[in-house]
Structures are given as structure tokens and as C-alpha cells.
Amino acid sequence: MLERMNQALDHLEAHLDQEVDMADVARIAAVSEYHFRRLFSALAGMPLPVYVRRRRMTLAGAEVLAGELTLLDVAVRYGYGSGEAFARAFRSVHGIGPGEARRTGAVLTAQPRMSFRVVVEGSTAMRYRIVEKEPFRVVGRKARVPLVHDGINAAAEAHLESLDTRAVVRMKELSDREPEGILSAVVHLTDSREDGAEVDYWIGAATGPEAAAEQHDARDALDSAAVLDSLHVPAGAWAVFDNHGPYPSALQELWRDVFTHWFPSNPYVSRPGPELLLTRPVESGTETDSQLWVPVERRRGSAEA
């Protein structure tokens, strides 16, 4: 799969001076555009559009310094309809405008071409199972928080601590299917998985559509503190990973490894949906058991299991 990803990046590189159809790029990688964007972000540590902009501005920067084309010609060559739009993109990467760069011979920022390779460590086995689930709902409370790849997520911790006891009791009452108990759900708002990207972070419980409807119908009768929001989760397959280790580092490493090692090595791709986490909150550094649920589907063209 990584070979196909590199072929897709080669195609992208060859068309940086044109309008790039990301669906065509994804087809070269033999995955959906949605999965290509998410997989790229996980492997590269930056969203695909950011990489494309940085590569274009790297090439454009070289042409600006060469001085053979007018600034407008360089802008048009790299897909910008106006000098102002080109200048904004140029400044976002290089820190100065193209006119200033040409006048002063300034030092510019280069984004190297990316390619992916597998680093075989082989010291850790990833235990997983595939579960097919009917539609269900996560009922609970959500907050918008930034992704944190290393260490405690203070915003997520604050959201957890803000929950009223009555709301938590109500979540436990409504939990009636796997993964059972109080869980968290991460809904990605963009393709980005870089540190600081915003996500909707839910604390809640998995329950059936009928229980969620009862919750809505009983809204007037319930104590306001126990009234919960509801997130619809479509039917589909889930890859479930069991994990044990110090919190939160072992879990953060698992999340990383799923997207950088497991997906490239297995006949599955991620699909839209929340990523679910079942864990027992403990103090930082204390070992605990966790379970990560990632929505998946079989990669097109892969043999049936």
C-alpha cells in the first residue's frame, strides 16, 4: 500500500502547476479520497492541502528568486488567479511576500518532497478484532477540544470533570450495547490529525435508536442536568484494538500505530464515523486497560476474509 501512496505522491508532484484532482490521486493509491486524505495526514503529520500548498510555494519560491518570470506569471503558473492571492499563500509559507523576496534575495522555506517507507520494528503485536454493528447512538455531552498527541489533554480532562453526577448516572442507565459503559468519542471535523487540530470530543454511552428517542421524549420530565445530546452512528464495521499500558502515552502510541502501521498492512481503510475509546481514567503514568474502536471498511479489490 505504501508503494501506491508513493506513486500517488509522484503524480501529485508532477501536477503541482495544474489543478490537481485529489480523487484521481486517491485512485492511484487504490483508496477513496476520504481515506487518502486521512491516511496522508496520519503518516505525514500535516493535512494534505497544507503539504500541497507548501510544495507549490517551494517551487514558486525558486522561480521568484530566479527572476525569469514576472510575479503574476509565477502566480498563474501555480494556480492563483490574482497576485494578491498568490502573495498571501507565499507569505503563509515563507514569511515574506514574493516582491520582497525578489528584491532582497531573502532566505525562503522549502518543503521537501515526501515519500513513505515502512520501518519494521516487530517488537509489539497489535491485537484486534473486526466487529459489525447496527446503527446506534452515542448519548452524552460534547465539547470542542484540540488534539494532543503527547501527554494529558487538558481541555478533554476539563470536559470530563465538568460533567454533573446526574448526567453520568443517566449515561450508565442508557448504556445497553458494546462498547459498554462510559466511553469517549472523537469526531474529526477536518482531514487534519496534526497536533492542535480541533475535534468534537464526546463523553457518553452507546445505546440504541429507541433509547435515544425515549431520552428525547422524556426531555421535559428529566432533570435538566440529566438531559443528554445524541450522536447518530451509522451501521458498519469496526476494528477494535485492546491496549494495556501507562495512561495516556500507551493509548496515544496505539492511536498513532493504527494509522501508520496497521492500516498500511491490512486490507481495510478508515470510513467516516467517530473513533470510540473505552478506558478507565487513572492518574498520568498509571497503567490501565483501554479499548479503541476505529470505523473501517474493506479496501476495494481486497480478497474476502
Side-chain angles (χ1 to χ4, degrees), residues 86-110:
F86 174 66
R88 284 195 299 272
F90 194 95
R91 186 179 296 277
S92 72
V93 173
H94 298 295
I96 59 173
E100 184 181 356
R102 175 165 284 182
R103 286 193 301 272
T104 65
V107 176
L108 303 183
T109 301

Side-chain angles (χ1 to χ4, degrees), residues 147-162:
L147 283 176
V148 174
H149 295 316
D150 185 19
I152 295 294
N153 188 325
E157 291 284 300
H159 176 50
L160 177 62
E161 293 172 2
S162 72

Side-chain angles (χ1 to χ4, degrees), residues 230-241:
S230 178
L231 172 68
H232 173 69
V233 183
W238 301 75
V240 183
F241 301 88

Side-chain angles (χ1 to χ4, degrees), residues 25-193:
V25 177
R27 274 193 288 273
I28 295 172
V31 295
S32 68
E33 181 180 352
Y34 172 83
H35 180 65
F36 181 78
R37 288 176 178 273
R38 295 189 73 179
L39 187 57
F40 179 91
S41 180
L43 291 170
M46 71 176 74
L48 181 59
V50 172
Y51 173 72
V52 171
R53 183 176 71 250
R54 289 178 180 176
R55 281 299 299 149
R56 278 183 170 147
M57 290 303 101
T58 296
L59 300 181
E63 297 202 18
V64 165
L65 293 185
E68 297 176 358
L69 298 174
T70 68
L71 295 181
L72 183 58
D73 285 341
V74 177
V76 171
R77 179 169 186 174
Y78 289 97
Y80 291 88
S82 69
E84 291 79 8
F86 174 66
R88 284 195 299 272
F90 194 95
R91 186 179 296 277
S92 72
V93 173
H94 298 295
I96 59 173
E100 184 181 356
R102 175 165 284 182
R103 286 193 301 272
T104 65
V107 176
L108 303 183
T109 301
Q111 169 65 59
R113 286 184 61 169
M114 281 191 182
S115 63
F116 301 126
R117 63 188 178 91
V118 175
V119 177
V120 180
E121 296 174 343
S123 60
T124 303
M126 298 182 69
R127 300 177 59 239
Y128 75 95
R129 58 193 169 98
I130 300 296
V131 176
E132 293 282 349
K133 287 185 66 65
E134 296 296 320
F136 66 98
R137 288 186 179 271
V138 173
V139 289
R141 298 279 173 76
K142 72 173 178 178
R144 192 149 294 179
V145 306
L147 283 176
V148 174
H149 295 316
D150 185 19
I152 295 294
N153 188 325
E157 291 284 300
H159 176 50
L160 177 62
E161 293 172 2
S162 72
L163 295 178
D164 186 276
T165 302
R166 289 163 291 182
V168 174
V169 169
R170 183 61 179 157
M171 292 176 200
K172 290 179 178 178
E173 292 173 347
L174 291 170
S175 175
D176 62 3
R177 63 203 57 213
E178 200 179 20
E180 296 180 2
I182 302 297
L183 55 83
S184 58
V186 175
V187 179
H188 294 270
L189 304 175
T190 68
D191 295 322
S192 175
R193 286 176 173 269

Side-chain angles (χ1 to χ4, degrees), residues 211-264:
E214 290 173 8
Q215 161 83 4
H216 182 272
D217 293 342
R219 187 173 290 267
D220 292 337
L222 289 171
D223 187 317
S224 60
V227 174
L228 305 174
D229 297 319
S230 178
L231 172 68
H232 173 69
V233 183
W238 301 75
V240 183
F241 301 88
D242 293 310
N243 180 254
H244 178 84
Y247 177 84
S249 60
L251 180 59
Q252 289 168 334
E253 290 169 6
L254 170 65
W255 224 310
R256 177 202 65 202
D257 290 347
V258 165
F259 283 89
T260 58
H261 297 312
W262 187 83
F263 272 120

